[in-house]
């Protein structure tokens, strides 16, 4: 472990091959691509790291972070957090002004701070996603605001 590596056996390698093949089949491909192999590596690393002691786990997550975050879809999680922020803001505005607001504005910093707590650094893919837009959210890049219209 001091070398920054993990112990691996032939069985682990065979498992990664099977996972990569399964991932390719789920995407209706007859061949395994680099994406499939990277996904298999992520699954195996997550599994292995989660079985370690906390101090070792924390260090390994840091060392292997680029593999662990590979193609992880965080949009649903970010949407859940954003809805919570929007509800908090709407409740505050309703209590302060006594009326329902048609537009709720959320500061990008608020979402970014909560996203960093769960190891999500880049919000741009989320802002451009269909999930973001289909839930009546828009991103104003100039004012750094997330706007939801009801």
């Amino acid at each position: 472990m001091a070398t920054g590596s993990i112990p691996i056996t032939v069985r682990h390698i065979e498992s990664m091959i099977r996972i990569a093949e399964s991932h390719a089949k789920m995407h209706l491909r007859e061949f395994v691509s680099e994406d499939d192999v990277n996904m298999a590596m992520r699954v195996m690393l997550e599994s292995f790291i989660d079985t370690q002691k906390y101090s070792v786990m924390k260090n390994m997550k840091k060392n292997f972070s680029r593999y662990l975050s590979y193609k992880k879809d965080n949009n649903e999680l970010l949407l859940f957090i954003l809805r919570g922020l929007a509800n908090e803001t709407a409740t505050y505005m309703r209590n302060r002004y006594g009326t329902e607001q048609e537009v709720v504005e959320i500061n990008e910093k608020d979402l970014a701070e909560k996203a960093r707590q769960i190891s999500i650094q880049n919000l741009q893919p989320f802002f451009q996603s269909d999930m973001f837009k289909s839930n009546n959210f828009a991103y104003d890049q100039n004012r750094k605001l997330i706007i939801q219209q009801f």
Side-chain angles (χ1 to χ4, degrees):
M1 292 290 185
T3 63
S5 61
I6 60 171
I8 191 166
T9 65
V10 173
R11 266 183 112 154
H12 290 109
I13 295 170
E14 289 172 344
S15 296
M16 284 198 310
I17 291 169
R18 283 193 299 277
I19 292 170
E21 288 172 342
S22 298
H23 190 261
K25 286 179 184 177
M26 287 189 328
H27 291 274
L28 305 175
R29 289 192 305 267
E30 294 183 21
F31 59 92
V32 173
S33 69
E34 185 177 345
D35 283 348
D36 301 319
V37 174
N38 287 333
M39 187 64 66
M41 285 174 55
R42 186 187 106 205
V43 170
M44 291 297 286
L45 277 171
E46 282 179 348
S47 175
F48 180 77
I49 290 171
D50 287 344
T51 63
Q52 304 303 309
K53 293 180 190 172
Y54 180 74
S55 60
V56 175
M57 180 190 313
K58 189 174 177 183
N59 190 30
M60 289 182 79
K61 280 186 179 181
K62 182 179 161 191
N63 290 339
F64 292 105
S65 64
R66 82 170 196 196
Y67 296 108
L68 295 173
S69 63
Y70 181 79
K71 286 220 174 174
K72 214 173 199 178
D73 187 12
N74 295 313
N75 288 350
E76 286 186 29
L77 185 55
L78 287 170
L79 181 63
F80 178 78
I81 293 169
L82 184 56
R83 281 183 178 160
L85 288 170
N87 287 337
E88 286 175 17
T89 304
T91 301
Y92 170 76
M93 300 296 274
R94 184 175 43 250
N95 291 337
R96 180 162 183 194
Y97 299 111
T99 61
E100 291 290 329
Q101 302 295 314
E102 291 183 20
V103 176
V104 174
E105 295 181 346
I106 300 132
N107 196 320
E108 178 191 8
K109 287 181 184 177
D110 295 336
L111 179 62
E113 182 180 309
K114 292 198 181 254
R116 270 192 297 281
Q117 291 174 357
I118 55 172
S119 301
I120 300 172
Q121 306 300 326
N122 186 7
L123 297 175
Q124 292 306 316
F126 174 62
F127 293 151
Q128 296 167 357
S129 72
D130 291 334
M131 186 180 293
F132 179 78
K133 294 170 186 165
S134 67
N135 282 277
N136 300 323
F137 287 105
Y139 177 61
D140 184 345
Q141 193 166 9
N142 296 330
R143 298 186 322 167
K144 302 284 186 195
L145 289 176
I146 302 164
I147 302 161
Q148 184 180 31
Q149 295 190 345
F150 295 100

